[in-house]
Amino acid sequence: MNYFCNYSILRFLPYPETGEFVNIGVVLLASNGEFRYKIETKRQRITQFFHKLDPKIYIRARTEIERELARLSGFFSKYQDQQSTQLAAFKNMIHPRETMMRFSAPGTIAVERVDEAIQSIFDHYINLSFASKEYEEKVLERQLGHLLSSANLKQRYKEQKLGTADYPVKFPYVLLDSDGAAQAIKPIHLGHDEPAKILEHGDAWLAKVRRLYKAQELARDTLFIASPPNRSKKKLVAAYSDIVIQLAEFDSVRVVSNELPEKSLLEEIQQGIPDPLH
């Protein structure tokens, strides 16, 4: 049997002036009267996107919306057999308000299982299940660009291919001086949900670094800023650590986590900038 579900995406929008937001959860009301909600528990996505925001502000806002949704769950359960009452309450819940937590315009989906529906929507809008590693790394590159801009460093870097005419390797941020490539920075997504995917992507960059090293075409400081996997998954962490260790074995290659605080990440970047350019 199919159920029709109304759903809305919960968004965190701390700065109304810019209109920028991050999707953090889903609410769903099914035609059989079931109400479900799911909110992201990690705050890494928020602190990476809004890197100047005090994390406590997000945590407090998330706690408040969780309490409100838990209260509404009781209401929807009480009136589970009164569809018109539930729909009115759902519309009122997602109605636009001038708060940090806001809901998207509603969508509708037909499903066989309500629990699978909310997980599928959550995976798409919050976990970005459609995203490839290329997409993920473009996001990381934009985040790095924001960080460099905040420190008045971005104008010193440019996208550049290093290597030979037969084997060029593109880096998104390269700092050049009179002696060539002083520093090359590459954000790399290693936060996959399978060890094989981490190893495959890491091995691809190991091969590139190995060839550049052999041709003596590496930047004098090559910095990989890596997004790690779920640290509670031992096999994922083992695969991640394997790649990090092998990359760092090359002279002039360093690997740091993108989970470092902004100040520490900038210090790592500045460590590779030649003194005359500081």
Side-chain angles (χ1 to χ4, degrees):
M1 179 178 178
N2 279 348
Y3 301 103
F4 289 97
C5 301
N6 292 311
Y7 68 90
S8 177
I9 309 304
L10 178 62
R11 297 165 169 172
F12 179 61
L13 192 154
Y15 306 120
E17 298 84 357
T18 66
E20 293 181 311
F21 63 84
V22 175
N23 294 333
I24 66 163
V26 181
V27 293
L28 179 148
L29 178 65
S31 55
N32 65 351
E34 288 187 60
F35 173 73
R36 301 290 180 87
Y37 68 90
K38 186 175 179 64
I39 299 177
E40 175 63 81
T41 56
K42 300 175 184 176
R43 67 171 187 263
Q44 179 184 344
R45 297 174 69 245
I46 307 301
T47 53
Q48 285 179 354
F49 192 87
F50 299 111
H51 55 273
K52 292 187 177 181
L53 181 76
D54 184 346
K56 293 179 181 178
I57 294 175
Y58 169 67
I59 293 172
R60 183 165 56 249
R62 186 185 66 192
T63 300
E64 291 176 357
I65 194 67
E66 285 176 336
R67 288 174 181 167
E68 178 64 12
L69 291 176
R71 183 188 68 81
L72 287 169
S73 290
F75 174 88
F76 285 111
S77 295
K78 182 178 179 180
Y79 295 96
Q80 188 165 357
D81 59 346
Q82 298 183 31
Q83 190 175 43
S84 60
T85 300
Q86 284 193 323
L87 284 173
F90 187 82
K91 290 178 180 178
N92 182 67
M93 177 182 67
I94 67 173
H95 185 74
R97 292 179 174 82
E98 296 300 317
T99 63
M100 290 187 182
M101 294 293 186
R102 306 187 187 192
F103 291 96
S104 71
T108 304
I109 187 172
V111 300
E112 292 184 359
R113 293 175 57 88
V114 177
D115 54 347
E116 291 179 358
I118 192 165
Q119 185 62 51
S120 175
I121 297 169
F122 187 88
D123 285 342
H124 182 83
Y125 286 97
I126 288 78
N127 289 336
L128 306 180
S129 57
F130 60 88
S132 63
K133 63 179 181 293
E134 289 80 9
Y135 174 91
E136 297 286 357
E137 289 187 355
K138 285 297 181 183
V139 173
L140 293 174
E141 288 174 14
R142 286 198 298 270
Q143 292 171 349
L144 176 58
H146 291 319
L147 181 62
L148 292 172
S149 292
S150 70
N152 294 318
L153 291 172
K154 189 177 181 181
Q155 66 274 16
R156 301 184 182 184
Y157 294 85
K158 67 176 183 177
E159 185 176 274
Q160 181 84 14
K161 290 180 180 179
L162 303 180
T164 65
D166 295 329
Y167 193 80
V169 178
K170 184 171 69 175
F171 286 82
Y173 295 98
V174 177
L175 176 66
L176 300 172
D177 63 11
S178 57
D179 294 321
Q183 184 182 59
I185 309 177
K186 169 60 183 172
I188 180 171
H189 176 62
L190 296 177
H192 303 285
D193 55 4
E194 295 178 20
K197 292 181 180 179
I198 295 174
L199 294 172
E200 287 171 4
H201 188 42
D203 284 346
W205 270 98
L206 276 167
K208 293 176 182 179
V209 169
R210 188 176 295 111
R211 286 188 178 277
L212 291 177
Y213 181 79
K214 186 176 180 179
Q216 297 184 338
E217 293 291 339
L218 276 175
R220 298 197 299 278
D221 178 64
T222 302
L223 179 64
F224 286 93
I225 300 178
S227 61
N230 186 333
R231 296 193 181 279
S232 66
K233 307 290 185 180
K234 292 183 179 180
K235 290 184 178 180
L236 300 182
V237 173
Y240 170 79
S241 299
D242 183 32
I243 296 300
V244 168
I245 290 169
Q246 289 192 66
L247 282 171
E249 287 177 351
F250 291 92
D251 293 340
S252 78
V253 175
R254 297 183 292 134
V255 185
V256 299
S257 170
N258 76 326
E259 293 182 337
L260 286 175
E262 179 180 313
K263 180 180 179 182
S264 299
L265 198 51
L266 280 172
E267 289 174 352
E268 291 287 349
I269 292 170
Q270 291 171 331
Q271 181 180 323
I273 299 176
D275 287 337
L277 297 180
H278 272 283

